[in-house]
Amino acid sequence: MKQQLLLLQDVDSLGRKGELVTAKPGYVRNFLLPRSLAMVATPHTLRKQEALRAEREKQAVVDRAESEKLAAQLEGLVLEIKVKVDPEGHMYGSVSVADIAQLFADKGLPVEKKYILMTRPIKTTGAHKIPLKLKEGITLTCQLTVIPEGLIMTGVSAVTAPLPEEPKES
């Protein structure tokens, strides 16, 4: 039998702070209650609902402003990653969500793995569009260029030193 709960914090795939939701008893007992993410809905706890909703609306304004600021920083950003390839140009391994999140962290941008909406890892070299969904539903795409290590990729210029000339025999 499902229980009715009042959420004390936002829970992914369940609801937002201040909402009344239902969940299976095992999920409630093992996850929500021990982490203080929700409380069982009773007449006493339902009085807290309006206060929690008002608090959530204030937090939503702050989250939206932060997400828009981050989206402005990410606008037009091109990430690059070098990968090892075999002689035919096939990648060893793949570029995963964790790798992309690390690229953002290296640039000093607070993009978490959960914001990156990739269904499967990237297994080919070249340019790829990475969809992102930030807090409060703000969506955007960034570009990721996967560069093969040791090979010259078309469209990417390489700087090489001139070869020494051989002495001419007279």
Side-chain angles (χ1 to χ4, degrees):
M1 176 173 186
K2 294 186 175 186
Q3 292 183 337
Q4 194 167 24
L5 305 164
L6 176 64
L7 292 179
L8 301 175
Q9 295 179 20
D10 290 353
V11 178
D12 290 338
S13 73
L14 187 60
R16 305 182 105 187
K17 185 176 188 175
E19 290 183 356
L20 282 175
V21 297
T22 58
K24 292 184 178 179
Y27 186 56
V28 172
R29 181 179 57 245
N30 296 323
F31 183 75
L32 296 174
L33 293 178
R35 290 175 174 79
S36 299
L37 298 175
M39 57 187 351
V40 178
T42 63
H44 173 69
T45 59
L46 291 179
R47 291 186 212 126
K48 289 185 176 184
Q49 185 176 11
E50 272 310 308
L52 289 172
R53 277 193 187 154
E55 199 176 307
R56 174 66 195 129
E57 288 173 7
K58 290 177 188 175
Q59 184 65 37
V61 171
V62 172
D63 287 346
R64 184 161 191 84
E66 287 177 3
S67 294
E68 287 174 351
K69 182 181 173 185
L70 182 59
Q73 290 177 338
L74 296 174
E75 189 79 27
L77 180 69
V78 178
L79 298 171
E80 292 183 350
I81 187 167
K82 290 188 177 186
V83 295
K84 293 184 179 183
V85 294
D86 64 7
E88 288 99 36
H90 296 52
M91 286 176 53
Y92 292 121
S94 60
V95 179
S96 67
V97 172
D99 297 328
I100 296 169
Q102 185 61 45
L103 288 173
F104 281 119
D106 292 344
K107 291 198 179 270
L109 299 168
V111 177
E112 299 175 22
K113 290 192 302 188
K114 66 182 179 181
Y115 298 156
I116 302 170
L117 302 177
M118 283 182 22
T119 55
R120 49 181 84 119
I122 297 172
K123 296 184 179 185
T124 59
T125 58
H128 300 274
K129 292 189 186 264
I130 307 297
L132 301 172
K133 184 175 180 184
L134 304 175
K135 291 180 183 177
E136 297 303 317
I138 295 178
T139 59
L140 66 134
T141 58
C142 286
Q143 186 163 341
L144 173 70
T145 305
V146 180
I147 302 170
E149 200 172 84
L151 295 177
I152 298 174
M153 195 170 135
T154 57
V156 177
S157 59
V159 178
T160 57
L163 295 173
E165 294 182 20
E166 293 183 22
K168 295 182 182 177
E169 292 183 30
S170 306

